[in-house]
Amino acid sequence: MNYHEMNEKEVERTLNTDFSAGLTNEDASKRRKQFGKNELDEGEKQSALLLFFSQFKDFMVLVLLAATLISGLLGEYIDAIAIIAIIILNSFLGFFQERRAEKSLSALKELSQPQVQALRDGEWVKILSKELVPGDIIKFASGDRIGADVRIIESRSLEVEESALTGESVPVQKTVSPIKNANLTLGDMENMGFMGTMVSRGSGVGVVIATGMKTAMGQIADLLQNAESQTTPLQRRLEQLGKILIVTALLLTVLVVAIGVIRGNDLYEMVLAGVSLAVAAIPEGLPAIVTIALSLGVQKMIRKNAVVRKLPAVETLGCASVICSDKTGTLTQNKMTVTKVWSGGKTWTVDGIGYEPQGKYYQDKEIIDPKKDKVLQQLLTFGMLCNHAEILQKDDEFVLNGDPTEGAMLVAGMKAGFTRKKLLTQFEIVNEFPFDSTRKMMSVVVKDPSGRQFIVTKGAPDVLAGKSISILMGNKTQVYGKDIKNMVQEAINGLASQALRTIAIGFKEISPNTLILHEQEAEKDLTFIGLQGIIDPPRPEVKQAVKECKEAGIKTVMITGDHVITAKAIATELGIANKRSKVLEGKDLANMNLKELEGVVDEVSVFARVSPEHKLKIVQAFQNRGHIVAMTGDGVNDAPAIKTADIGIAMGITGTDVAKEASSLVLMDDNFASIKAAIIEGRNIYENIRKFIRYLLASNVGEILVMLFAMLLALPLPLVPIQILWVNLVTDGLPAMALGLDRPEDNVMKRNPRNPSEGVFARGLGWKVISRGILIGLATILAFIFAYDNNPENLQYAQTVAFITLVLAQLIHVFDCRSEKSILSRNPFGNIYLVWAVISSLVLALIVVYVPFLQEIFHTVPILAKDWPMIIGLASVPTFLLAGSFLLSKSK
């Protein structure tokens, strides 16, 4: 039903309620059973048990479970237990990290349920907003959140800030009159109030017409729940890697068994050898190390004011190529500020940030004292008198109570050294004619200490100029003639071109004790004083963040419900747009299908006057063009696009709960610049994951080749399965985790985002894995052959030598993995965690070799001192041979 088209009697009759007495408690109870509680559906939440078991869905985990089963069937129970232990450890890590992220977000939510004042049984009572039902009569005043969708039935200078729903930063003046138009947008329904929006000024009464999921906010929440979530590039890459490894393991197992049987070896021994190879082919520690690396990255991001809700999404920021950002509160401060003042042909610039009353006035770049210019003084003080806002100081922060535009005018006066409290000791407000959207003006009648009486008026410049007969020029008044009219219009146009919202101020003196009863009489024959230009200014740190993102190949796009001129001006100031940039409006988007939008979307930097459906369409168009899209925002209207984007980023302070629930990342400080830090971290996390994949797989290739070389040469197995597992899970684990803590390289934000279709082995990683693996395998088999030839009767000794050579070769190789170039291109002590991890892994390997109790489990014996030089020499060859070739190539 279009309640905005109905008059009050029609609304009252349709809802079967009584505007004078409200609903009875009995009737409200019946309606609550019919319509349900006034709450938004959160969707099905996963239980803790299901969340834990969901960790076992990972493809690599399924591979390890298969290896466990085979090991158990062959009687290798120690191997099976070791694999099960690492699977459970990995699952608990993932489970606790996701639970911790949810708790971090819960801390950002308000603990108490919002309350509203409702008319029940003829009396105003406070109830929880979730208890509201259609037909309830509720009242609200400045600072209140409207608890449900309502039709306004009383309005006393009522203005509502609806940016969380519409994206429009300027409050909407509310009326009670029917609006005969069936196709209005939410922002144009001036006789309606919507759930979750904030009363910024005045007071009003409304009748509830919709609750819960039937509200405008609820419909967007429903749209959100139906939006599809995206898998991350890392998830896709690891799934691809897991498939490669399991196919490799199966082929190797079959190959070894077949070769052995053909050569007449025992079937059981060949199956055992095949399983050993399969264990060598699968890096059992990889899922756990990936989880740990992501968890460590998450902790670093929390310290940088970013809470990660979805663990695998951390690295997605690293390949983001487009950031679609909401304007209000994200790129801007959501604090209206006076930046320009004009009077009598002179323009002053005002600096300062937000509602803090600290700032200077400039004229032609020179600082001036506003109190020494009588016209400027009068313009500012009259703007403070014709005003209802308050600026309050709470814990070193200045906050606004009231209308943002009036707050901006108040702060402008305070920056000049005036306070409204002091002015009210000098001037007495005798009468007031409140602002309404028809007149577009507000007036007060004031009396000064000498008894003189003035009418002070503020309002839309074109309207106030039309009511003026003179203008203040310096200390004199001049007739408001054609030349003056042109000058004022030029000033208005000049401020508007800078995306400033202009408010005009005028006055007239009236005889003492004159009683004016009507605004028509008060607001005529005025003297025009001047203009104040107001804007929601950009966050000061955003411009640099946008610049650095651009250097990193990331395009920032502004998506806003605000007007085109304002959006384009802010975007240009921040470096998001330039003169050649295209700007699309919501009406343009409505006439385009998705295919048409895809054709132009790469050229557009600003989307203005858009709806939630448009935001979804924009994100999808960028994704269809092959971009990885990050969507930032704080309002309910941003949530569907946030969820559909590859990574959704919500604001932690101003963000709605719906936006946070949809997001992958929540910025606790609402600072766009924090996104840059998150992108650096995301890129570094992915590079670090590549580093330890390179390290682990090169080690595994080395292990596979050791086994294959031995079989091809008809040698005994150089390594037993438990030794391979120890290397994969323990010896390799600590250095791999330390690689996950490696600091980003200097050029991390100087290169373009990686291609989302890029495989794990791109950029030469596959060759590095194979070449280093071959050399590690050759070094290990040579050490085994030397030891075995010297003492063929002691197979365990040769296996121990091979085991230690493999461990040492891998621990030296890990330093090579820190760089795409060579071990010599980065300081080996630049990652102190890696140094300690290598020392710890070496000590653990030596313990396995020299502690008698462990020797029985791991089939090892002590190594003689004479063999250590050979072991160290062979273990060093794989890394330093390649480092030497790197130096030779550089010298050429």
Side-chain angles (χ1 to χ4, degrees), residues 64 83 86 275-289 695-704 719-736 803 806-807 810:
L64 295 180
I83 299 172
I86 203 67
V275 170
S276 300
L277 264 178
V279 170
I282 300 169
E284 288 82 0
L286 183 60
I289 294 167
Y695 169 60
L696 291 175
L697 293 189
S699 301
N700 283 53
V701 167
E703 293 163 15
I704 292 167
L719 300 165
V720 296
I722 191 64
Q723 290 172 345
I724 296 171
L725 267 176
W726 179 262
V727 172
N728 287 355
L729 299 180
V730 182
T731 309
D732 289 351
L734 290 174
F803 170 66
L806 178 67
V807 168
Q810 291 178 4

Tab-separated table of all heavy atoms in Angstrom, residues 64 83 86 275-289 695-704 719-736 803 806-807 810:
chain	number	residue	atom	x	y	z
A	64	LEU	N	44.490	-35.833	3.083
A	64	LEU	CA	45.214	-36.366	4.250
A	64	LEU	C	44.432	-37.494	4.921
A	64	LEU	O	45.021	-38.459	5.419
A	64	LEU	CB	45.466	-35.241	5.254
A	64	LEU	CG	46.406	-34.120	4.778
A	64	LEU	CD1	46.578	-33.075	5.864
A	64	LEU	CD2	47.744	-34.675	4.364
A	83	ILE	N	49.211	-38.093	11.156
A	83	ILE	CA	48.391	-37.342	10.192
A	83	ILE	C	47.098	-36.865	10.846
A	83	ILE	O	46.680	-35.714	10.676
A	83	ILE	CB	48.088	-38.211	8.946
A	83	ILE	CG1	49.388	-38.604	8.240
A	83	ILE	CG2	47.191	-37.440	7.977
A	83	ILE	CD1	49.200	-39.611	7.122
A	86	ILE	N	47.628	-33.771	12.988
A	86	ILE	CA	47.776	-32.500	12.270
A	86	ILE	C	46.440	-32.042	11.700
A	86	ILE	O	46.142	-30.850	11.634
A	86	ILE	CB	48.855	-32.595	11.167
A	86	ILE	CG1	49.405	-31.189	10.845
A	86	ILE	CG2	48.331	-33.230	9.907
A	86	ILE	CD1	50.186	-30.551	11.937
A	275	VAL	N	53.075	-46.155	-0.504
A	275	VAL	CA	52.470	-45.244	0.479
A	275	VAL	C	53.505	-44.245	0.980
A	275	VAL	O	53.201	-43.069	1.195
A	275	VAL	CB	51.861	-46.050	1.661
A	275	VAL	CG1	51.448	-45.114	2.793
A	275	VAL	CG2	50.667	-46.843	1.176
A	276	SER	N	54.749	-44.714	1.135
A	276	SER	CA	55.823	-43.800	1.547
A	276	SER	C	55.981	-42.672	0.536
A	276	SER	O	56.145	-41.502	0.891
A	276	SER	CB	57.146	-44.556	1.691
A	276	SER	OG	57.036	-45.560	2.660
A	277	LEU	N	55.919	-43.039	-0.741
A	277	LEU	CA	56.015	-42.025	-1.787
A	277	LEU	C	54.808	-41.080	-1.753
A	277	LEU	O	54.941	-39.880	-1.949
A	277	LEU	CB	56.094	-42.694	-3.157
A	277	LEU	CG	57.493	-42.893	-3.736
A	277	LEU	CD1	57.416	-43.611	-5.068
A	277	LEU	CD2	58.182	-41.555	-3.921
A	278	ALA	N	53.624	-41.650	-1.523
A	278	ALA	CA	52.415	-40.820	-1.458
A	278	ALA	C	52.510	-39.824	-0.305
A	278	ALA	O	52.155	-38.652	-0.440
A	278	ALA	CB	51.183	-41.708	-1.295
A	279	VAL	N	53.021	-40.314	0.826
A	279	VAL	CA	53.209	-39.429	1.979
A	279	VAL	C	54.213	-38.338	1.643
A	279	VAL	O	54.056	-37.162	2.012
A	279	VAL	CB	53.669	-40.242	3.213
A	279	VAL	CG1	54.097	-39.315	4.353
A	279	VAL	CG2	52.542	-41.158	3.694
A	280	ALA	N	55.262	-38.700	0.890
A	280	ALA	CA	56.264	-37.714	0.492
A	280	ALA	C	55.680	-36.689	-0.474
A	280	ALA	O	56.074	-35.528	-0.490
A	280	ALA	CB	57.454	-38.417	-0.162
A	281	ALA	N	54.716	-37.127	-1.295
A	281	ALA	CA	54.142	-36.232	-2.309
A	281	ALA	C	53.193	-35.216	-1.714
A	281	ALA	O	52.974	-34.149	-2.283
A	281	ALA	CB	53.417	-37.059	-3.371
A	282	ILE	N	52.597	-35.563	-0.570
A	282	ILE	CA	51.577	-34.669	0.020
A	282	ILE	C	52.193	-33.883	1.165
A	282	ILE	O	52.640	-34.473	2.153
A	282	ILE	CB	50.369	-35.487	0.538
A	282	ILE	CG1	49.726	-36.266	-0.620
A	282	ILE	CG2	49.347	-34.574	1.200
A	282	ILE	CD1	48.704	-37.289	-0.168
A	283	PRO	N	52.226	-32.559	1.089
A	283	PRO	CA	52.734	-31.755	2.218
A	283	PRO	C	51.685	-31.688	3.329
A	283	PRO	O	50.823	-30.813	3.338
A	283	PRO	CB	52.981	-30.380	1.580
A	283	PRO	CG	52.018	-30.305	0.435
A	283	PRO	CD	51.831	-31.717	-0.050
A	284	GLU	N	51.778	-32.643	4.256
A	284	GLU	CA	50.737	-32.769	5.278
A	284	GLU	C	50.538	-31.495	6.095
A	284	GLU	O	49.445	-31.241	6.588
A	284	GLU	CB	51.077	-33.941	6.224
A	284	GLU	CG	50.905	-35.319	5.624
A	284	GLU	CD	52.101	-35.755	4.772
A	284	GLU	OE1	53.071	-34.980	4.646
A	284	GLU	OE2	52.047	-36.856	4.225
A	285	GLY	N	51.600	-30.718	6.248
A	285	GLY	CA	51.477	-29.516	7.076
A	285	GLY	C	50.884	-28.318	6.355
A	285	GLY	O	50.604	-27.298	6.982
A	286	LEU	N	50.651	-28.440	5.026
A	286	LEU	CA	50.230	-27.262	4.259
A	286	LEU	C	48.924	-26.642	4.742
A	286	LEU	O	48.869	-25.424	4.972
A	286	LEU	CB	50.155	-27.608	2.765
A	286	LEU	CG	49.797	-26.445	1.842
A	286	LEU	CD1	50.818	-25.320	1.959
A	286	LEU	CD2	49.698	-26.912	0.392
A	287	PRO	N	47.834	-27.415	4.936
A	287	PRO	CA	46.587	-26.771	5.389
A	287	PRO	C	46.757	-26.046	6.721
A	287	PRO	O	46.265	-24.932	6.900
A	287	PRO	CB	45.606	-27.944	5.518
A	287	PRO	CG	46.153	-29.001	4.617
A	287	PRO	CD	47.636	-28.860	4.696
A	288	ALA	N	47.484	-26.693	7.650
A	288	ALA	CA	47.680	-26.059	8.958
A	288	ALA	C	48.502	-24.780	8.826
A	288	ALA	O	48.190	-23.763	9.448
A	288	ALA	CB	48.376	-27.026	9.912
A	289	ILE	N	49.546	-24.831	7.998
A	289	ILE	CA	50.429	-23.666	7.874
A	289	ILE	C	49.709	-22.519	7.158
A	289	ILE	O	49.883	-21.351	7.506
A	289	ILE	CB	51.741	-24.052	7.168
A	289	ILE	CG1	52.524	-25.027	8.066
A	289	ILE	CG2	52.590	-22.833	6.887
A	289	ILE	CD1	53.668	-25.714	7.370
A	695	TYR	N	58.599	-23.563	-0.659
A	695	TYR	CA	59.500	-24.264	0.262
A	695	TYR	C	59.034	-25.702	0.506
A	695	TYR	O	59.814	-26.655	0.371
A	695	TYR	CB	59.566	-23.487	1.573
A	695	TYR	CG	60.256	-24.219	2.702
A	695	TYR	CD1	61.578	-24.621	2.585
A	695	TYR	CD2	59.576	-24.489	3.889
A	695	TYR	CE1	62.219	-25.287	3.624
A	695	TYR	CE2	60.205	-25.149	4.927
A	695	TYR	CZ	61.518	-25.558	4.791
A	695	TYR	OH	62.139	-26.211	5.823
A	696	LEU	N	57.744	-25.857	0.833
A	696	LEU	CA	57.235	-27.187	1.170
A	696	LEU	C	57.247	-28.117	-0.031
A	696	LEU	O	57.626	-29.289	0.070
A	696	LEU	CB	55.812	-27.078	1.729
A	696	LEU	CG	55.666	-26.431	3.112
A	696	LEU	CD1	54.200	-26.284	3.476
A	696	LEU	CD2	56.385	-27.248	4.173
A	697	LEU	N	56.825	-27.607	-1.203
A	697	LEU	CA	56.744	-28.484	-2.369
A	697	LEU	C	58.126	-28.834	-2.911
A	697	LEU	O	58.341	-29.957	-3.386
A	697	LEU	CB	55.885	-27.847	-3.456
A	697	LEU	CG	54.395	-27.685	-3.124
A	697	LEU	CD1	53.626	-27.258	-4.353
A	697	LEU	CD2	53.807	-28.977	-2.552
A	698	ALA	N	59.060	-27.891	-2.851
A	698	ALA	CA	60.435	-28.221	-3.271
A	698	ALA	C	60.988	-29.327	-2.367
A	698	ALA	O	61.666	-30.260	-2.839
A	698	ALA	CB	61.318	-26.981	-3.200
A	699	SER	N	60.687	-29.229	-1.087
A	699	SER	CA	61.118	-30.273	-0.147
A	699	SER	C	60.472	-31.604	-0.501
A	699	SER	O	61.115	-32.659	-0.491
A	699	SER	CB	60.740	-29.864	1.281
A	699	SER	OG	61.344	-28.635	1.628
A	700	ASN	N	59.146	-31.557	-0.825
A	700	ASN	CA	58.442	-32.797	-1.152
A	700	ASN	C	58.939	-33.402	-2.463
A	700	ASN	O	59.042	-34.628	-2.586
A	700	ASN	CB	56.934	-32.538	-1.234
A	700	ASN	CG	56.302	-32.433	0.137
A	700	ASN	OD1	56.758	-31.653	0.962
A	700	ASN	ND2	55.268	-33.212	0.393
A	701	VAL	N	59.247	-32.549	-3.458
A	701	VAL	CA	59.810	-33.054	-4.716
A	701	VAL	C	61.145	-33.738	-4.428
A	701	VAL	O	61.435	-34.815	-4.974
A	701	VAL	CB	59.991	-31.899	-5.733
A	701	VAL	CG1	60.859	-32.344	-6.907
A	701	VAL	CG2	58.637	-31.420	-6.232
A	702	GLY	N	61.942	-33.106	-3.561
A	702	GLY	CA	63.216	-33.727	-3.174
A	702	GLY	C	63.004	-35.094	-2.547
A	702	GLY	O	63.711	-36.057	-2.874
A	703	GLU	N	62.008	-35.213	-1.659
A	703	GLU	CA	61.724	-36.501	-0.996
A	703	GLU	C	61.270	-37.547	-2.015
A	703	GLU	O	61.698	-38.714	-1.968
A	703	GLU	CB	60.642	-36.290	0.061
A	703	GLU	CG	61.098	-35.423	1.234
A	703	GLU	CD	59.918	-34.876	2.043
A	703	GLU	OE1	58.790	-35.394	1.870
A	703	GLU	OE2	60.112	-33.929	2.820
A	704	ILE	N	60.395	-37.142	-2.942
A	704	ILE	CA	59.902	-38.077	-3.966
A	704	ILE	C	61.062	-38.610	-4.796
A	704	ILE	O	61.187	-39.819	-5.045
A	704	ILE	CB	58.873	-37.370	-4.882
A	704	ILE	CG1	57.604	-37.036	-4.105
A	704	ILE	CG2	58.535	-38.228	-6.102
A	704	ILE	CD1	56.682	-36.072	-4.834
A	719	LEU	N	64.612	-43.503	3.065
A	719	LEU	CA	63.827	-42.896	4.159
A	719	LEU	C	62.621	-43.765	4.452
A	719	LEU	O	62.007	-44.317	3.535
A	719	LEU	CB	63.345	-41.484	3.752
A	719	LEU	CG	64.412	-40.442	3.412
A	719	LEU	CD1	63.780	-39.258	2.695
A	719	LEU	CD2	65.130	-39.970	4.676
A	720	VAL	N	62.291	-43.891	5.727
A	720	VAL	CA	61.074	-44.628	6.092
A	720	VAL	C	59.929	-43.609	6.256
A	720	VAL	O	60.174	-42.416	6.477
A	720	VAL	CB	61.289	-45.441	7.381
A	720	VAL	CG1	62.335	-46.512	7.160
A	720	VAL	CG2	61.666	-44.547	8.550
A	721	PRO	N	58.674	-44.077	6.155
A	721	PRO	CA	57.533	-43.138	6.195
A	721	PRO	C	57.520	-42.212	7.405
A	721	PRO	O	57.215	-41.020	7.270
A	721	PRO	CB	56.318	-44.069	6.185
A	721	PRO	CG	56.786	-45.284	5.450
A	721	PRO	CD	58.231	-45.449	5.846
A	722	ILE	N	57.870	-42.697	8.590
A	722	ILE	CA	57.804	-41.856	9.789
A	722	ILE	C	58.830	-40.725	9.718
A	722	ILE	O	58.592	-39.615	10.215
A	722	ILE	CB	58.007	-42.698	11.070
A	722	ILE	CG1	57.662	-41.878	12.334
A	722	ILE	CG2	59.412	-43.252	11.149
A	722	ILE	CD1	56.232	-41.474	12.433
A	723	GLN	N	59.977	-40.982	9.076
A	723	GLN	CA	60.976	-39.919	8.912
A	723	GLN	C	60.465	-38.842	7.954
A	723	GLN	O	60.648	-37.647	8.191
A	723	GLN	CB	62.289	-40.513	8.376
A	723	GLN	CG	63.028	-41.387	9.382
A	723	GLN	CD	64.221	-42.108	8.783
A	723	GLN	OE1	64.355	-42.194	7.554
A	723	GLN	NE2	65.090	-42.649	9.638
A	724	ILE	N	59.802	-39.286	6.870
A	724	ILE	CA	59.228	-38.323	5.911
A	724	ILE	C	58.160	-37.464	6.598
A	724	ILE	O	58.106	-36.250	6.421
A	724	ILE	CB	58.639	-39.061	4.685
A	724	ILE	CG1	59.758	-39.793	3.920
A	724	ILE	CG2	57.916	-38.083	3.764
A	724	ILE	CD1	59.238	-40.706	2.827
A	725	LEU	N	57.321	-38.125	7.412
A	725	LEU	CA	56.274	-37.380	8.127
A	725	LEU	C	56.888	-36.371	9.093
A	725	LEU	O	56.406	-35.244	9.224
A	725	LEU	CB	55.377	-38.350	8.903
A	725	LEU	CG	54.125	-38.834	8.162
A	725	LEU	CD1	53.387	-39.847	9.014
A	725	LEU	CD2	53.213	-37.676	7.815
A	726	TRP	N	57.952	-36.781	9.775
A	726	TRP	CA	58.620	-35.865	10.717
A	726	TRP	C	59.158	-34.635	9.983
A	726	TRP	O	58.986	-33.502	10.438
A	726	TRP	CB	59.762	-36.594	11.431
A	726	TRP	CG	60.510	-35.718	12.404
A	726	TRP	CD1	61.694	-35.061	12.180
A	726	TRP	CD2	60.119	-35.389	13.736
A	726	TRP	NE1	62.059	-34.349	13.275
A	726	TRP	CE2	61.112	-34.530	14.276
A	726	TRP	CE3	59.045	-35.745	14.552
A	726	TRP	CZ2	61.061	-34.020	15.547
A	726	TRP	CZ3	58.989	-35.243	15.834
A	726	TRP	CH2	59.981	-34.378	16.327
A	727	VAL	N	59.756	-34.871	8.830
A	727	VAL	CA	60.261	-33.743	8.040
A	727	VAL	C	59.109	-32.847	7.591
A	727	VAL	O	59.156	-31.617	7.725
A	727	VAL	CB	61.053	-34.254	6.812
A	727	VAL	CG1	61.403	-33.085	5.892
A	727	VAL	CG2	62.318	-34.970	7.254
A	728	ASN	N	58.027	-33.448	7.057
A	728	ASN	CA	56.912	-32.668	6.517
A	728	ASN	C	56.148	-31.893	7.581
A	728	ASN	O	55.735	-30.748	7.356
A	728	ASN	CB	55.928	-33.584	5.778
A	728	ASN	CG	56.496	-34.070	4.447
A	728	ASN	OD1	57.574	-33.649	4.039
A	728	ASN	ND2	55.773	-34.942	3.771
A	729	LEU	N	55.946	-32.525	8.738
A	729	LEU	CA	55.073	-31.911	9.742
A	729	LEU	C	55.827	-31.067	10.760
A	729	LEU	O	55.318	-30.047	11.218
A	729	LEU	CB	54.292	-33.003	10.488
A	729	LEU	CG	53.376	-33.872	9.622
A	729	LEU	CD1	52.670	-34.901	10.481
A	729	LEU	CD2	52.358	-33.034	8.881
A	730	VAL	N	57.029	-31.467	11.123
A	730	VAL	CA	57.745	-30.799	12.222
A	730	VAL	C	58.909	-29.965	11.713
A	730	VAL	O	58.964	-28.746	11.916
A	730	VAL	CB	58.225	-31.829	13.273
A	730	VAL	CG1	58.927	-31.116	14.422
A	730	VAL	CG2	57.047	-32.646	13.784
A	731	THR	N	59.863	-30.646	11.031
A	731	THR	CA	61.060	-29.928	10.584
A	731	THR	C	60.707	-28.798	9.622
A	731	THR	O	61.236	-27.699	9.713
A	731	THR	CB	62.043	-30.903	9.911
A	731	THR	OG1	62.256	-32.010	10.787
A	731	THR	CG2	63.356	-30.215	9.614
A	732	ASP	N	59.788	-29.060	8.679
A	732	ASP	CA	59.403	-28.025	7.716
A	732	ASP	C	58.408	-27.028	8.287
A	732	ASP	O	58.293	-25.909	7.796
A	732	ASP	CB	58.784	-28.673	6.470
A	732	ASP	CG	59.829	-29.398	5.625
A	732	ASP	OD1	61.021	-29.237	5.919
A	732	ASP	OD2	59.438	-30.108	4.686
A	733	GLY	N	57.651	-27.452	9.288
A	733	GLY	CA	56.528	-26.641	9.776
A	733	GLY	C	56.915	-25.289	10.339
A	733	GLY	O	56.344	-24.255	9.974
A	734	LEU	N	57.924	-25.282	11.242
A	734	LEU	CA	58.312	-24.014	11.877
A	734	LEU	C	58.873	-23.001	10.877
A	734	LEU	O	58.464	-21.841	10.869
A	734	LEU	CB	59.310	-24.295	13.007
A	734	LEU	CG	58.726	-24.995	14.243
A	734	LEU	CD1	59.839	-25.339	15.214
A	734	LEU	CD2	57.679	-24.130	14.920
A	735	PRO	N	59.806	-23.382	9.985
A	735	PRO	CA	60.287	-22.410	8.999
A	735	PRO	C	59.184	-21.921	8.057
A	735	PRO	O	59.160	-20.749	7.677
A	735	PRO	CB	61.359	-23.188	8.218
A	735	PRO	CG	61.817	-24.247	9.161
A	735	PRO	CD	60.593	-24.636	9.926
A	736	ALA	N	58.278	-22.827	7.696
A	736	ALA	CA	57.175	-22.423	6.818
A	736	ALA	C	56.310	-21.371	7.495
A	736	ALA	O	55.898	-20.384	6.873
A	736	ALA	CB	56.340	-23.637	6.421
A	803	PHE	N	68.411	-38.716	6.046
A	803	PHE	CA	67.409	-37.928	6.778
A	803	PHE	C	67.971	-36.562	7.167
A	803	PHE	O	67.364	-35.511	6.913
A	803	PHE	CB	66.977	-38.726	8.012
A	803	PHE	CG	66.136	-37.960	9.002
A	803	PHE	CD1	64.860	-37.525	8.683
A	803	PHE	CD2	66.626	-37.670	10.275
A	803	PHE	CE1	64.087	-36.831	9.608
A	803	PHE	CE2	65.877	-36.978	11.201
A	803	PHE	CZ	64.593	-36.545	10.864
A	806	LEU	N	68.733	-34.311	4.106
A	806	LEU	CA	67.467	-33.743	3.603
A	806	LEU	C	67.027	-32.567	4.464
A	806	LEU	O	66.660	-31.494	3.947
A	806	LEU	CB	66.392	-34.833	3.590
A	806	LEU	CG	64.994	-34.395	3.144
A	806	LEU	CD1	64.988	-34.014	1.669
A	806	LEU	CD2	63.973	-35.509	3.399
A	807	VAL	N	67.074	-32.739	5.786
A	807	VAL	CA	66.662	-31.669	6.710
A	807	VAL	C	67.534	-30.434	6.518
A	807	VAL	O	67.030	-29.314	6.382
A	807	VAL	CB	66.731	-32.162	8.180
A	807	VAL	CG1	66.589	-30.987	9.149
A	807	VAL	CG2	65.652	-33.202	8.443
A	810	GLN	N	66.938	-28.566	3.229
A	810	GLN	CA	65.685	-27.801	3.264
A	810	GLN	C	65.822	-26.554	4.135
A	810	GLN	O	65.295	-25.487	3.784
A	810	GLN	CB	64.551	-28.695	3.770
A	810	GLN	CG	64.187	-29.799	2.784
A	810	GLN	CD	63.098	-30.711	3.317
A	810	GLN	OE1	62.555	-30.482	4.389
A	810	GLN	NE2	62.790	-31.761	2.569
